[in-house]
């Protein structure tokens, strides 16, 4: 009887760090399992990834040889498949410093839709799932070691065009109308403010003019010229008519001798 594969404590998981396209509608990313199979792997061994619907992972059976690996095209009926065949040396501890990708992309090979391909494919996942995955170390005599199944991985759901609500378009039109009204009110308010400021400026200019006239008139009042004192009449003269010389300054009246 074949020896059961060793159960490793490693659990596959989606990278916890921020990653563009980490989970999409047809793919998801996995962290590479470095230093997981070193104690069990030989140079000729390969590591596979088993992908199954979450409710079918318990019934998955490891294939006894590479020829029995379930292919991608049987996923809708078998509910599982195996993909991403990689040399075990690529996951060894010595490969950690190698310039290899730190993540694996499950479902990233769109060419797998060609049913004529016979090699194991890593085709797009047909539904949101959820899915569970595990790594399986395969030698020439069959499975040698396997990891734990991952937690369920749910993909994003694609939205059908027929289910898109046209309400956002109407709401967008309402927003445009409201923005136009607010812009008009803003223009009216700006015009009113400019009118008030103009009136205040004009009023201040008028007050300044009035103040200048008053100052001018007051400045003229300050130059007061005292009235001329009456000149004494020469001896032996008198004014004619009498009293005219004493009330308003006049040129000396002609005098006559008495």
């Amino acid at each position: 009887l074949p020896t059961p594969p060793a159960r490793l404590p490693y659990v596959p998981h989606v990278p916890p760090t921020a990653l563009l396209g980490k989970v999409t509608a047809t793919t998801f990313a996995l962290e590479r399992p470095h230093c997981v199979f070193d104690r069990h792997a030989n140079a000729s061994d390969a590591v596979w990834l088993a992908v199954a619907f979450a409710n079918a992972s318990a019934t998955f059976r490891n294939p006894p040889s590479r020829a029995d690996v379930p292919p991608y095209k049987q996923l809708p009926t078998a509910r599982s498949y195996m993909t991403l065949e990689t040399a075990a040396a690529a996951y060894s501890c010595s490969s950690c410093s190698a310039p290899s990708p730190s993540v694996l992309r499950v479902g990233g090979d769109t060419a797998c839709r060609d049913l004529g391909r016979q090699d194991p494919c890593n085709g797009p996942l047909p539904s949101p799932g959820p899915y569970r995955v595990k790594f399986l170390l395969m030698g020439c005599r069959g499975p040698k070691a396997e990891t734990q199944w991952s937690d369920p991985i749910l993909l994003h759901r694609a939205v059908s065009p027929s289910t898109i609500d046209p309400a956002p378009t109407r709401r967008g039109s309402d927003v445009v109308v409201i923005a136009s009204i607010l812009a008009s009110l803003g223009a009216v308010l700006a015009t009113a403010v400019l009118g008030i400021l103009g009136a205040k400026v004009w009023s201040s200019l008028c007050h300044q003019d009035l103040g200048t006239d008053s100052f001018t008139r007051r400045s003229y009042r300050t130059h007061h010229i005292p009235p001329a004192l009456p000149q004494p009449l020469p001896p032996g003269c008198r004014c004619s008519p009498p009293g005219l010389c004493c009330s308003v300054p006049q040129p000396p009246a002609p005098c006559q001798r008495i």
Side-chain angles (χ1 to χ4, degrees):
L1 293 177
T3 305
R7 298 295 299 273
L8 305 177
Y10 180 80
V11 178
H13 57 275
V14 176
T17 57
L19 181 66
L20 184 63
K22 182 165 56 176
V23 178
T24 68
T26 59
T27 67
F28 62 90
L30 282 178
E31 218 168 54
R32 292 176 66 91
H34 288 297
C35 302
V36 175
F37 309 103
D38 286 22
R39 293 196 311 168
H40 306 276
N42 295 325
S44 60
D45 294 341
V47 176
W48 291 76
L49 180 71
V51 183
F53 284 99
N55 56 4
S57 60
T59 60
F60 179 83
R61 296 293 179 263
N62 294 330
S65 65
R66 188 186 187 280
D68 300 315
V69 168
Y72 163 76
K73 62 183 179 180
Q74 293 183 4
L75 175 61
T77 57
R79 310 292 291 171
S80 62
Y81 72 103
M82 291 177 62
T83 185
L84 294 178
E85 181 185 15
T86 307
Y91 297 140
S92 64
C93 293
S94 60
S95 67
C96 292
S97 58
S100 58
S102 59
V103 296
L104 303 174
R105 174 70 60 180
V106 180
D109 187 2
T110 57
C112 286
R113 296 182 180 183
D114 183 7
L115 299 180
R117 293 186 58 175
Q118 299 298 323
D119 57 314
C121 290
N122 180 29
L125 298 172
S127 68
Y131 300 92
R132 283 185 171 181
V133 298
K134 74 173 181 179
F135 290 98
L136 182 63
L137 176 65
M138 296 274 292
C140 59
R141 296 183 180 180
K144 298 176 63 175
E146 63 180 351
T147 67
Q148 306 293 323
W149 285 100
S150 68
D151 294 331
I153 301 172
L154 182 65
L155 305 186
H156 295 317
R157 293 181 179 272
V159 179
S160 175
S162 60
T163 61
I164 297 177
D165 184 12
T169 303
R170 294 194 296 268
R171 287 194 292 269
S173 301
D174 295 340
V175 170
V176 172
V177 172
I178 293 174
S180 301
I181 294 175
L182 292 177
S184 301
L185 291 177
V188 173
L189 181 61
T191 303
V193 171
L194 291 177
I196 293 173
L197 292 177
K200 288 186 177 180
V201 171
W202 180 259
S203 176
S204 62
L205 290 176
C206 291
H207 284 302
Q208 289 179 1
D209 292 342
L210 291 176
T212 304
D213 293 343
S214 301
F215 176 78
T216 303
R217 288 195 294 270
R218 285 195 300 269
S219 63
Y220 279 124
R221 290 194 188 101
T222 55
H223 295 284
H224 179 68
I225 302 176
L229 297 177
Q231 298 294 327
L233 295 175
C237 294
R238 62 181 179 84
C239 295
S240 177
L244 181 61
C245 299
C246 299
S247 58
V248 179
Q250 295 288 339
C255 299
Q256 57 182 354
R257 285 187 182 278
I258 301 176

